[in-house]
Amino acid sequence: MESAELKLNKRIYSIDLLRGIIMVIMALDHTRDFIHYDAFLHDPLDIETTSLALYFTRWITHFCAPIFIFLSGVSIYLQSFRKSKIDLSKFLFKRGLWLIFVEFIIMGFLWSFNFQFPMFFLQVIWAIGISMVFMSVLIHLPYILILITGSLIVCLHNVLDGINSTHQGFFWDVLHNGHFAAHAINQDHTLVIVYPFLPWLGVMMLGYCLGKLYEQTISVDFRRNFLLIKGIGLILFFILLRWSNYYGDPIPWSAQNDFLHTLLSFFNVNKYPPSLLFLCITLGPALIVLSLTDSINASIASSNKLVKIFNIYGSVPFFYYILHFYLIHLVAGVLYFTRGHAWSEPDIIANGPPFAFMVSGEGYSLGIVYLVWILVVISLYPLCKWFSEYRKRNSHWWLGYV
């Protein structure tokens, strides 16, 4: 989640661009969660109940978390160009703890707007934070050992899918299972584990190893070709392994009544926890984008309006992440009251989902979701641009944590 920098403050604009694109797409999924009438009634990827538009709206956002965490790993390697391993290790440890705090407190308050914090959710910020804590130690290992270990975690963690998580408890859910497993902290507080850290740590480790491609000793042509070949290879590997229904995802695909629904079944891979196939079909295209945009330089980034816009979002991902979540939830609150609800109603902490201003079955069409999404993203641009420019002009220590 750091901005991409090399020595002498040379930015890697392709990384900022990709990160910016996924930040914008991510807001679509969260807008759907808070605004769509069907958000807490059915799984948008359930081919029995979904529509093509709803399926696509959810599926396209699958790219966000793996690319987000993968690029966080890349950024760790890039920071090693300007920090000693000791300094980088200390920074990763402190920033990891800070992100875990953010997940519990800042994001925890967001869901319920209740200072009693009835529920805590371990989501992507937690996954990045705990992975950074581990990376603070792992960066001291030989590069090849990090690469092998990360590869083994990503490729083999699905072997653990067969273990019955209901008998393994909290630590198994944190390590591997996740999938919204709820654990009571006490009578009034519950911890919900959405992102188990082991597979996401593997993703961050592989991102860290990919960062080596951006060393100044690596030729541009080699990097572009490597990224392109690896990206295409991951997509082909996904198709072949998914077709076999043998390994790589706990939910097999099946032939449906027509080709379209068969295709939807084929691409419906598991995110909680992220399966090998899920990571192949999301990170493969990401590598291709990095290859195709590798030639973007300062001149292009400043003259191409679309690239410039996405780079602004991509240069301040943490700042944007927090703001967009709160803004979307506040919009949901305004819409909640415009539908005739009052603050005193019990539904303020939801009838069904334990989130303020959200009632199962209430909400708006997918068209309204897209409209709110676009307005939210646009409205955040001036703030993101201001903060991006502020970071360029200043070197305060705390900017490394925001």
Side-chain angles (χ1 to χ4, degrees):
M1 295 175 68
E2 294 296 312
S3 60
E5 293 181 336
L6 289 174
K7 289 179 179 178
L8 304 179
N9 203 33
K10 180 182 178 182
R11 300 189 69 84
I12 303 178
Y13 293 98
S14 59
I15 293 179
D16 279 343
L17 175 62
L18 177 58
R19 185 188 282 117
I21 291 172
I22 66 162
M23 297 302 291
V24 170
I25 294 174
M26 178 173 55
L28 173 60
D29 190 42
H30 298 148
T31 304
R32 180 191 59 80
D33 282 336
F34 285 105
I35 303 297
H36 194 237
Y37 69 87
D38 197 42
F40 289 92
L41 294 179
H42 302 100
D43 180 357
L45 297 177
D46 184 351
I47 58 177
E48 299 294 331
T49 59
T50 193
S51 65
L52 180 60
L54 182 57
Y55 182 100
F56 175 80
T57 300
R58 174 60 177 130
W59 190 87
I60 194 66
T61 62
H62 272 347
F63 287 91
C64 301
I67 297 177
F68 200 47
I69 294 176
F70 186 76
L71 293 182
S72 295
V74 174
S75 291
I76 292 173
Y77 194 94
L78 298 182
Q79 289 180 73
S80 70
F81 297 153
R82 52 191 173 86
K83 292 180 181 178
S84 69
K85 282 203 172 181
I86 295 297
D87 289 339
L88 180 56
S89 180
K90 291 179 180 177
F91 172 77
L92 290 174
F93 183 77
K94 291 185 290 186
R95 190 155 200 266
L97 294 181
W98 160 244
L99 291 177
I100 294 172
F101 171 83
V102 168
E103 188 73 273
F104 272 85
I105 305 303
I106 297 178
M107 299 303 295
F109 176 73
L110 178 145
W111 294 108
S112 64
F113 289 135
N114 185 340
F115 282 112
Q116 294 181 347
F117 294 97
M119 300 192 78
F120 298 99
F121 294 86
L122 299 187
Q123 299 196 89
V124 67
I125 298 297
W126 136 266
I128 295 175
I130 190 64
S131 294
M132 281 186 172
V133 170
F134 277 92
M135 287 299 295
S136 70
V137 177
L138 293 173
I139 61 171
H140 295 283
L141 299 177
Y143 174 89
I144 189 63
L145 186 56
I146 299 174
L147 176 61
I148 292 173
T149 304
S151 299
L152 289 176
I153 291 173
V154 169
C155 293
L156 299 180
H157 80 273
N158 284 118
V159 173
L160 306 175
D161 291 341
I163 298 177
N164 189 342
S165 62
T166 58
H167 298 297
Q168 305 305 317
F170 172 78
F171 290 105
W172 183 247
D173 287 331
V174 168
L175 181 71
H176 172 74
N177 183 56
H179 199 63
F180 299 88
H183 294 268
I185 300 173
N186 55 36
Q187 186 176 353
D188 300 316
H189 302 88
T190 302
L191 180 68
V192 180
I193 303 166
V194 184
Y195 281 64
F197 78 85
L198 180 62
W200 295 113
L201 173 61
V203 172
M204 184 174 286
M205 293 170 72
L206 292 183
Y208 174 85
C209 293
L210 188 86
K212 191 175 183 66
L213 289 177
Y214 293 92
E215 290 184 348
Q216 294 179 347
T217 56
I218 303 297
S219 73
V220 174
D221 288 339
F222 176 83
R223 179 171 62 245
R224 290 175 184 170
N225 291 334
F226 182 91
L227 291 169
L228 184 62
I229 292 171
K230 289 296 182 182
I232 295 173
L234 284 176
I235 294 173
L236 293 176
F237 180 73
F238 165 83
I239 294 172
L240 292 175
L241 189 58
R242 183 61 168 163
W243 183 267
S244 72
N245 254 347
Y246 179 72
Y247 177 77
D249 197 90
I251 304 174
W253 69 279
S254 59
Q256 303 297 312
N257 294 330
D258 55 67
F259 175 77
L260 176 60
H261 284 82
T262 299
L263 200 63
L264 298 185
S265 175
F266 189 84
F267 280 95
N268 184 17
V269 284
N270 201 58
K271 181 182 179 181
Y272 307 106
S275 68
L276 169 61
L277 289 173
F278 174 89
L279 294 173
C280 286
I281 198 57
T282 52
L283 294 180
L287 296 183
I288 295 175
V289 171
L290 287 177
S291 173
L292 297 178
T293 60
D294 191 70
S295 61
I296 294 178
N297 53 30
S299 176
I300 297 174
S302 61
S303 60
N304 187 301
K305 291 184 178 180
L306 192 59
V307 171
K308 186 176 181 180
I309 289 171
F310 282 121
N311 277 358
I312 289 294
Y313 293 122
S315 64
V316 289
F318 181 71
F319 181 79
Y320 169 92
Y321 184 88
I322 300 297
L323 287 183
H324 98 282
F325 244 124
Y326 271 88
L327 180 56
I328 294 170
H329 202 170
L330 288 173
V331 170
V334 172
L335 295 174
Y336 175 88
F337 293 117
T338 61
R339 294 197 299 270
H341 292 283
W343 187 270
S344 59
E345 293 182 38
D347 283 345
I348 194 69
I349 306 298
N351 175 20
F355 312 129
F357 314 127
M358 302 171 69
V359 183
S360 295
E362 284 194 10
Y364 304 87
S365 68
L366 206 55
I368 299 298
V369 169
Y370 274 82
L371 176 61
V372 173
W373 165 57
I374 293 171
L375 292 176
V376 165
V377 171
I378 292 175
S379 66
L380 288 177
Y381 181 78
L383 277 174
C384 290
K385 183 179 179 181
W386 166 81
F387 189 62
S388 179
E389 293 174 349
Y390 181 84
R391 291 185 66 170
K392 291 176 184 177
R393 296 192 306 266
N394 297 275
S395 56
H396 306 305
W397 66 267
W398 56 268
L399 288 173
Y401 295 84
V402 181

